[in-house]
Each structure stands twice: as C-alpha cells, then as structure tokens.
Amino acid sequence: MGITRYHHTFRAQVTPARMFKALFLDSHNLCPKLMFASIRNIEFIEGDGEVGSIKQVNFTEASPLKYMKHRIDALDKDNLTCKYTLIEAEPLMEKLEYVTYEVKFERFGFTGCICKLTSEYKAKEGIEIKEEDIEHGKDRAIGMYEVVEAYLMAHPHAYA
C-alpha cells in the first residue's frame, strides 16, 4: 500500500510540439487508427479535451482490458505538459485507488525531443503493487509513444 513513483525518460526523433499534439491533443483520432488491433476507439465522456475532461479508451478483444478512463488534470499547450489520472479500468482498479501521469516534452537537438514521464501509483489498502505490473503498463505506454513517433517520422507534415 502507499504511493509508488516511477520516472522514465526517452528520446524521440520528432519535435516536442508534434509529439504533444499527436499524443495529447488528437490522440482520440490518431491512436485508434494506428493501434487498431488493440484500441477500438477513444471518446470523451465529459468535456472536449481540456482540463476536467474525461476520456475513455475502449479496447478490442485482443486486449486484457475492456476500457479505461482518464481525467485530464492539467494541460499546458505552451510548455507541452500534461497531467492526467487513470480513474477507472477493469481489472486494474481492483488493486489501485488511482494512477497519475505527468508528461513533459522538451527539445533535444534540432528536430528531436526528450519525453519525461512520471507515474504515481496509489494502491488500495492492504495491496502491494508488483514492479512487473508497473513495467508491463510502462512498456505498453512507451510502445504507443513509439508507434506515434514512427507515424510522425513517416508523415513529416502531420501535426506540424
């Protein structure tokens, strides 16, 4: 029980603004097209993508999850940062109170960026979070970022 924090950094060969736009401002359109085998669709349950909005990711039968809901807690389009909280997902929420993510994109070199990710996991009373569970979730998130990066590299004018 308690709070567990993880920090992860990775580099992308795409500008910070393009990664931010694709992953946070238009993920509801782009990600289901790129990851159609696992994501059925992404819809806003509340709001339109600004702070306070709730976004639901609906997965295909190929995924161990049926859906997950995120609440957008902070969105800074000028500084390319986003903070959001996983508020609902079966069966994940059987063990967790919440998971909060903070993401920041910073320029690296002439055309690349560094993505800084911080995850905060709050376990339910009496539950211990296993590191392999967190690694699995982190690997899936990084995989999504890599798919978006590859798309943006192949389509240099997208999200410019």
Side-chain angles (χ1 to χ4, degrees), residues 131-144:
E131 190 165 333
E132 60 264 17
D133 294 335
I134 292 174
E135 284 295 318
H136 180 69
K138 183 181 80 173
D139 290 345
R140 292 183 77 161
I142 297 300
M144 181 177 74

Side-chain angles (χ1 to χ4, degrees), residues 15 17-18 21-22 26-27 29-30 151-152 155 157-160:
T15 64
R18 290 181 69 214
K21 288 175 188 174
D26 198 45
S27 64
N29 291 313
L30 182 62
Y151 172 82
L152 294 174
H155 300 89
H157 299 293
Y159 302 98

Side-chain angles (χ1 to χ4, degrees), residues 44-83:
F44 288 103
I45 302 301
E46 291 180 27
D48 59 0
E50 296 298 321
V51 173
S53 295
I54 296 178
K55 186 187 299 188
Q56 180 169 313
V57 180
N58 296 303
F59 296 100
T60 66
E61 293 77 23
S63 174
L65 299 174
K66 183 176 180 182
Y67 71 93
M68 64 173 50
K69 290 183 183 178
H70 293 102
R71 181 187 62 238
I72 300 172
D73 301 318
L75 186 67
D76 186 334
K77 297 173 188 175
D78 295 327
N79 293 307
L80 308 177
T81 63
C82 183
K83 181 177 180 180

